[in-house]
PDB file of all heavy atoms in Angstrom:
ATOM      1  N   THR A 489     -22.791 -13.358   3.884  1.00 98.00           N
ATOM      2  CA  THR A 489     -21.552 -13.935   3.339  1.00 98.00           C
ATOM      3  C   THR A 489     -21.090 -13.127   2.130  1.00 98.00           C
ATOM      4  O   THR A 489     -21.886 -12.655   1.323  1.00 98.00           O
ATOM      5  CB  THR A 489     -21.790 -15.391   2.882  1.00 98.00           C
ATOM      6  OG1 THR A 489     -22.915 -15.404   2.001  1.00 98.00           O
ATOM      7  CG2 THR A 489     -22.045 -16.303   4.059  1.00 98.00           C
ATOM      8  N   THR A 490     -19.768 -12.980   2.023  1.00 98.00           N
ATOM      9  CA  THR A 490     -19.200 -12.288   0.872  1.00 98.00           C
ATOM     10  C   THR A 490     -17.756 -12.751   0.695  1.00 98.00           C
ATOM     11  O   THR A 490     -17.265 -13.589   1.447  1.00 98.00           O
ATOM     12  CB  THR A 490     -19.299 -10.747   1.028  1.00 98.00           C
ATOM     13  OG1 THR A 490     -18.973 -10.122  -0.213  1.00 98.00           O
ATOM     14  CG2 THR A 490     -18.360 -10.223   2.108  1.00 98.00           C
ATOM     15  N   THR A 491     -17.077 -12.215  -0.328  1.00 98.00           N
ATOM     16  CA  THR A 491     -15.652 -12.499  -0.520  1.00 98.00           C
ATOM     17  C   THR A 491     -14.918 -11.167  -0.595  1.00 98.00           C
ATOM     18  O   THR A 491     -15.549 -10.109  -0.603  1.00 98.00           O
ATOM     19  CB  THR A 491     -15.390 -13.293  -1.810  1.00 98.00           C
ATOM     20  OG1 THR A 491     -15.868 -12.511  -2.909  1.00 98.00           O
ATOM     21  CG2 THR A 491     -16.087 -14.645  -1.785  1.00 98.00           C
ATOM     22  N   ILE A 492     -13.603 -11.214  -0.664  1.00 98.00           N
ATOM     23  CA  ILE A 492     -12.808  -9.985  -0.571  1.00 98.00           C
ATOM     24  C   ILE A 492     -12.627  -9.321  -1.927  1.00 98.00           C
ATOM     25  O   ILE A 492     -12.202  -8.170  -2.010  1.00 98.00           O
ATOM     26  CB  ILE A 492     -11.444 -10.289   0.100  1.00 98.00           C
ATOM     27  CG1 ILE A 492     -11.669 -10.977   1.451  1.00 98.00           C
ATOM     28  CG2 ILE A 492     -10.596  -9.050   0.280  1.00 98.00           C
ATOM     29  CD1 ILE A 492     -12.541 -10.202   2.428  1.00 98.00           C
ATOM     30  N   GLY A 493     -12.942 -10.008  -2.993  1.00 98.00           N
ATOM     31  CA  GLY A 493     -12.923  -9.332  -4.294  1.00 98.00           C
ATOM     32  C   GLY A 493     -12.431 -10.172  -5.445  1.00 98.00           C
ATOM     33  O   GLY A 493     -13.144 -10.408  -6.402  1.00 98.00           O
ATOM     34  N   SER A 494     -11.171 -10.642  -5.368  1.00 98.00           N
ATOM     35  CA  SER A 494     -10.657 -11.359  -6.528  1.00 98.00           C
ATOM     36  C   SER A 494     -11.051 -12.827  -6.482  1.00 98.00           C
ATOM     37  O   SER A 494     -11.168 -13.430  -5.414  1.00 98.00           O
ATOM     38  CB  SER A 494      -9.131 -11.228  -6.599  1.00 98.00           C
ATOM     39  OG  SER A 494      -8.543 -11.728  -5.437  1.00 98.00           O
ATOM     40  N   PHE A 495     -11.253 -13.394  -7.679  1.00 98.00           N
ATOM     41  CA  PHE A 495     -11.435 -14.833  -7.854  1.00 98.00           C
ATOM     42  C   PHE A 495     -10.195 -15.370  -8.548  1.00 98.00           C
ATOM     43  O   PHE A 495      -9.348 -14.580  -8.981  1.00 98.00           O
ATOM     44  CB  PHE A 495     -12.746 -15.114  -8.603  1.00 98.00           C
ATOM     45  CG  PHE A 495     -13.878 -15.346  -7.637  1.00 98.00           C
ATOM     46  CD1 PHE A 495     -14.359 -14.294  -6.864  1.00 98.00           C
ATOM     47  CD2 PHE A 495     -14.417 -16.614  -7.438  1.00 98.00           C
ATOM     48  CE1 PHE A 495     -15.357 -14.505  -5.910  1.00 98.00           C
ATOM     49  CE2 PHE A 495     -15.422 -16.827  -6.489  1.00 98.00           C
ATOM     50  CZ  PHE A 495     -15.890 -15.777  -5.722  1.00 98.00           C
ATOM     51  N   PRO A 496     -10.015 -16.678  -8.622  1.00 97.00           N
ATOM     52  CA  PRO A 496      -8.770 -17.207  -9.186  1.00 97.00           C
ATOM     53  C   PRO A 496      -8.409 -16.579 -10.535  1.00 97.00           C
ATOM     54  O   PRO A 496      -9.252 -16.451 -11.414  1.00 97.00           O
ATOM     55  CB  PRO A 496      -9.072 -18.705  -9.314  1.00 97.00           C
ATOM     56  CG  PRO A 496     -10.006 -18.981  -8.186  1.00 97.00           C
ATOM     57  CD  PRO A 496     -10.886 -17.752  -8.106  1.00 97.00           C
ATOM     58  N   GLN A 497      -7.137 -16.194 -10.641  1.00 95.00           N
ATOM     59  CA  GLN A 497      -6.627 -15.671 -11.918  1.00 95.00           C
ATOM     60  C   GLN A 497      -6.132 -16.886 -12.701  1.00 95.00           C
ATOM     61  O   GLN A 497      -5.014 -17.341 -12.503  1.00 95.00           O
ATOM     62  CB  GLN A 497      -5.480 -14.689 -11.656  1.00 95.00           C
ATOM     63  CG  GLN A 497      -5.946 -13.365 -11.084  1.00 95.00           C
ATOM     64  CD  GLN A 497      -5.956 -12.247 -12.125  1.00 95.00           C
ATOM     65  OE1 GLN A 497      -5.248 -12.307 -13.122  1.00 95.00           O
ATOM     66  NE2 GLN A 497      -6.772 -11.228 -11.895  1.00 95.00           N
ATOM     67  N   THR A 498      -6.980 -17.372 -13.558  1.00 95.00           N
ATOM     68  CA  THR A 498      -6.643 -18.592 -14.309  1.00 95.00           C
ATOM     69  C   THR A 498      -5.650 -18.285 -15.424  1.00 95.00           C
ATOM     70  O   THR A 498      -5.462 -17.123 -15.801  1.00 95.00           O
ATOM     71  CB  THR A 498      -7.918 -19.160 -14.955  1.00 95.00           C
ATOM     72  OG1 THR A 498      -8.456 -18.157 -15.812  1.00 95.00           O
ATOM     73  CG2 THR A 498      -8.958 -19.531 -13.920  1.00 95.00           C
ATOM     74  N   GLY A 499      -5.043 -19.339 -15.954  1.00 95.00           N
ATOM     75  CA  GLY A 499      -4.119 -19.184 -17.074  1.00 95.00           C
ATOM     76  C   GLY A 499      -4.796 -18.486 -18.244  1.00 95.00           C
ATOM     77  O   GLY A 499      -4.204 -17.653 -18.923  1.00 95.00           O
TER      78      GLY A 499
END
Side-chain angles (χ1 to χ4, degrees):
T489 53
T490 191
T491 60
I492 306 303
S494 59
F495 267 69
Q497 287 257 337
T498 59

